Amino acid sequence: MIYKHDVLVVGAGLAGMRAAIEAHNQGVDVAIVSKVYPVRSHSNAAQGGINAALGEGDTWESHGYDTVKGSDYLGDQDAIEILAREAPAAVLELEHWGVNFSRDETGHLGTRNFGGASQARTFFVADITGQALLQVMFEQLVRVGVRMYNEWFVTRLIESEGVVRGIVGMDIRSGQLHAIQANAVVLATGGMGRVFEPSTNALINTGDGMAIAYRAGARLMDMEMMQYHPTTLKGSGALLTEGARGEGAYLLNSEGDRFMKKYAPNKLELASRDVVSRAEQTEINEGRGIENCVLLDCRHLGKDLIMRKLGQIHELALELAGVDIVQEPVPVRPGFHYPMGGIKTDVDGKTTLDGLYAAGECACVSIHGGNRLGANSLLDTVIFGRRAGAAASEHSRALPSPADSFPLGETALQQETERIRALLDRPSVGELAAKVRWDMGVNMVKHCGVFREAGGLTEMGDLLHSLQDRATRVHVGDKGRVFNTNLTSVLELQFMLDLAVAVQVTALTRTESRGAHTRTDYPERDDEHWLKHIQLQYRPEGPEIHFTPVTMTRWEPQVRSY
């Protein structure tokens, strides 16, 4: 079947919901397609808060500078200015919609300190901020009556000669493929954390949007910049919010030493995430870790504060590690968390393909550059989600009805039907998707982790070639169509391998250390040669590399220290 809408949003997290609400407000026919029910989107996992210069004495310029510095000067400053300028209004809009932000003793919106910030500007709802925002945003979506295609898996874009006019997707409940034609498509599909193992990300974060855009011809940018979060739980990799350190928690090594005083004497545990992750990994590598971990110590915060503001991580540590953070420190280590790179867009979400927009974690408007500051990610979703929804609506209004692209949709649907049938027809012997996926993930952490060097990256490139070959022999054991998660996992594996290659190629190409990208064989930042972005264009024989300058407005690069 073929459906049609003026604007189609793929992904129902905060960026996708905000884009859809804005498109509706612009008066176009908009729909959302999501592979999970909207309130199960990964925006739920954001714990710590959302940044805005709303406090007395704070300014957008201060927020902007902190973000530029945090990015290690790789962030595009025109986009960062928009982020910082629009932040106060975006947070107040959320509050007016019903987000129950925590308040201080005077009744005003409360803030907490976050890493890399010059003052407390992170607004929060205990340690469930993402969940609170997502529920309220969903209420707004329901209120305006946006059409939702829930539990649909998007397999490809409908694209011809650089023009995007919809998607082909599979209704997971029935296994049937359908085309949805649209004048504009907004990708808001979230991150790619499951390219790495372990990861803080949900199992749904397989980079689908990035991969289908890349295969269709859109460029990826800054893919070497992959963030490791300093405090992920030993074993499971579950995230323990930066909000714990914002409330005053310490990091300790095996000797009981608060080691961050050596690496960031001014900001200590609230240095930027790349700095703290490197410090932890150095302590572990030099033998001052505890079973490949360091300790997060919250005991001095007291039970009352922990239960009021950090209740979720108290529960996670207790259930997943058997540690009561009120009574004892909890083992943590750097774990893969967030891609700063993604689909290259301008400040209105426009990609390098006509009719295709992107926002949120799958996009790279380049506000995060080499390292994202905590609590800028939720802000990114609502600001650039809104802007992408507005721009896509304007683009759609200038075009005829999506029905005019019917032959494109019919052809794409037929091609995908044949491709899926061929996957299902493979005999049930050979490689398992889960094994190939695991081998990819653990080796990506090993070779594209907190520290990298040419030998390991080259080895990873050879391994990825082998994994791509193995993926051609992966079979789908479940031949049914209803809720065939075996089939979707095979499709996800293909997406993830494309993105793993993108990370490996760009990490090997950038011969310097900047932000989250630390090359032990090139330990210094090199502004003379590397103050530029790496963009990738998909080619069957391997990615085509392009370089583009960083947009500078008011902040010149300086030595970065905390």
Side-chain angles (χ1 to χ4, degrees), residues 153-222:
F153 186 93
V154 176
T155 65
R156 64 167 284 180
L157 294 171
I158 299 172
E159 177 273 336
S160 178
E161 298 181 350
V163 177
V164 172
R165 288 293 178 264
I167 62 96
V168 175
M170 179 172 63
D171 181 348
I172 300 172
R173 287 169 292 184
S174 67
Q176 295 301 306
L177 286 167
H178 305 280
I180 304 179
Q181 296 183 167
N183 285 338
V185 174
V186 180
L187 294 175
T189 52
M192 50 174 280
R194 284 299 158 183
V195 172
F196 299 77
E197 291 292 346
S199 166
T200 66
N201 286 203
L203 293 176
I204 60 173
N205 278 26
T206 51
D208 306 359
M210 293 185 202
I212 62 173
Y214 183 45
R215 279 290 180 112
R219 289 189 179 186
L220 302 179
M221 188 167 85
D222 294 345

Side-chain angles (χ1 to χ4, degrees), residues 145-467:
V146 169
R147 171 73 183 270
M148 288 177 273
Y149 299 88
N150 295 328
E151 296 181 320
W152 278 43
F153 186 93
V154 176
T155 65
R156 64 167 284 180
L157 294 171
I158 299 172
E159 177 273 336
S160 178
E161 298 181 350
V163 177
V164 172
R165 288 293 178 264
I167 62 96
V168 175
M170 179 172 63
D171 181 348
I172 300 172
R173 287 169 292 184
S174 67
Q176 295 301 306
L177 286 167
H178 305 280
I180 304 179
Q181 296 183 167
N183 285 338
V185 174
V186 180
L187 294 175
T189 52
M192 50 174 280
R194 284 299 158 183
V195 172
F196 299 77
E197 291 292 346
S199 166
T200 66
N201 286 203
L203 293 176
I204 60 173
N205 278 26
T206 51
D208 306 359
M210 293 185 202
I212 62 173
Y214 183 45
R215 279 290 180 112
R219 289 189 179 186
L220 302 179
M221 188 167 85
D222 294 345
M223 292 298 288
E224 71 276 24
M225 297 301 178
M226 297 285 130
Q227 182 169 83
Y228 283 75
H229 196 287
T231 51
T232 74
L233 197 58
K234 176 186 175 182
S236 66
L239 178 68
L240 300 185
T241 177
E242 190 168 318
R245 286 172 285 134
E247 298 295 342
Y250 302 150
L251 289 171
L252 306 176
N253 62 18
S254 62
E255 300 169 0
D257 181 33
R258 193 178 173 187
F259 58 85
M260 283 308 302
K261 64 179 182 290
K262 178 169 60 176
Y263 301 95
N266 296 319
K267 297 295 289 184
L268 299 170
E269 286 86 1
L270 289 176
S272 63
R273 289 177 174 176
D274 61 318
V275 172
V276 181
S277 291
R278 279 193 297 274
E280 291 180 345
Q281 196 63 53
T282 299
E283 292 293 301
I284 293 167
N285 292 350
E286 294 182 356
R288 294 182 295 277
I290 303 171
E291 297 180 346
N292 290 317
C293 293
V294 295
L295 297 175
L296 178 68
D297 190 357
C298 301
R299 292 174 295 179
H300 56 285
L301 301 180
K303 182 175 182 178
D304 178 65
L305 184 147
I306 289 171
M307 300 311 292
R308 279 191 298 111
K309 295 185 175 182
L310 303 171
Q312 185 180 72
I313 69 165
H314 175 268
E315 182 179 353
L316 285 170
L318 195 60
E319 290 190 357
L320 300 180
V323 175
D324 182 350
I325 63 173
V326 174
Q327 302 293 334
E328 56 185 319
V330 61
V332 296
R333 64 182 180 185
F336 182 82
H337 184 54
Y338 188 98
M340 275 72 72
I343 306 162
K344 167 59 184 166
T345 75
D346 66 12
V347 296
D348 293 315
K350 189 177 187 325
T351 73
T352 51
L353 295 179
D354 183 65
L356 182 65
Y357 298 78
E361 195 170 344
C362 73
C364 183
V365 66
S366 196
I367 51 173
H368 307 308
N371 173 73
R372 177 177 67 81
L373 294 188
N376 268 353
S377 56
L378 291 180
L379 185 61
D380 175 8
T381 65
V382 295
I383 287 179
F384 291 100
R386 180 188 64 78
R387 294 177 71 92
S393 301
E394 183 178 359
H395 177 84
S396 176
R397 284 195 294 267
L399 296 173
S401 164
D404 294 342
S405 62
F406 180 83
L408 279 179
E410 192 173 55
T411 300
L413 181 57
Q414 181 179 349
Q415 291 171 346
E416 283 301 276
T417 299
E418 293 171 358
R419 184 170 77 95
I420 300 301
R421 184 182 297 117
L423 280 176
L424 290 169
D425 286 345
R426 286 181 185 175
S428 296
V429 294
E431 294 279 357
L432 294 174
K435 183 63 169 66
V436 178
R437 180 170 169 167
W438 180 260
D439 290 346
M440 171 191 65
V442 296
N443 282 286
M444 286 295 287
V445 168
K446 178 180 178 182
H447 297 302
C448 300
V450 175
F451 295 113
R452 306 159 176 191
E453 51 83 30
L457 290 168
T458 301
E459 182 180 338
M460 189 67 219
D462 294 339
L463 178 60
L464 284 169
H465 285 303
S466 172
L467 290 169

Side-chain angles (χ1 to χ4, degrees), residues 11-126:
L14 287 172
M17 288 189 190
R18 189 63 188 86
I21 291 167
E22 188 62 25
H24 171 84
N25 291 343
Q26 297 288 330
V28 301
D29 173 25
V30 59
I32 285 181
V33 57
S34 173
K35 74 175 181 181
V36 296
Y37 196 72
V39 291
R40 292 187 177 273
S41 300
H42 193 61
S43 297
N44 261 319
Q47 296 171 345
I50 182 170
N51 287 333
L54 269 170
E56 185 176 349
D58 200 0
T59 64
W60 76 262
E61 290 93 343
S62 175
H63 183 189
Y65 171 70
D66 288 345
T67 302
V68 170
K69 180 182 176 182
S71 80
D72 215 351
Y73 297 92
L74 192 66
D76 284 334
Q77 294 180 19
D78 56 341
I80 290 171
E81 287 195 23
I82 289 171
L83 180 86
R85 284 178 184 270
E86 296 187 4
V91 170
L92 290 176
E93 179 179 59
L94 291 167
E95 197 272 340
H96 293 164
W97 280 352
V99 175
N100 189 24
F101 286 110
S102 297
R103 295 181 178 268
D104 61 23
E105 59 277 2
T106 69
H108 293 87
L109 295 181
T111 57
R112 61 170 39 134
N113 289 297
F114 247 55
S118 55
Q119 56 185 293
R121 64 169 66 94
T122 301
F123 297 87
F124 64 98
V125 183

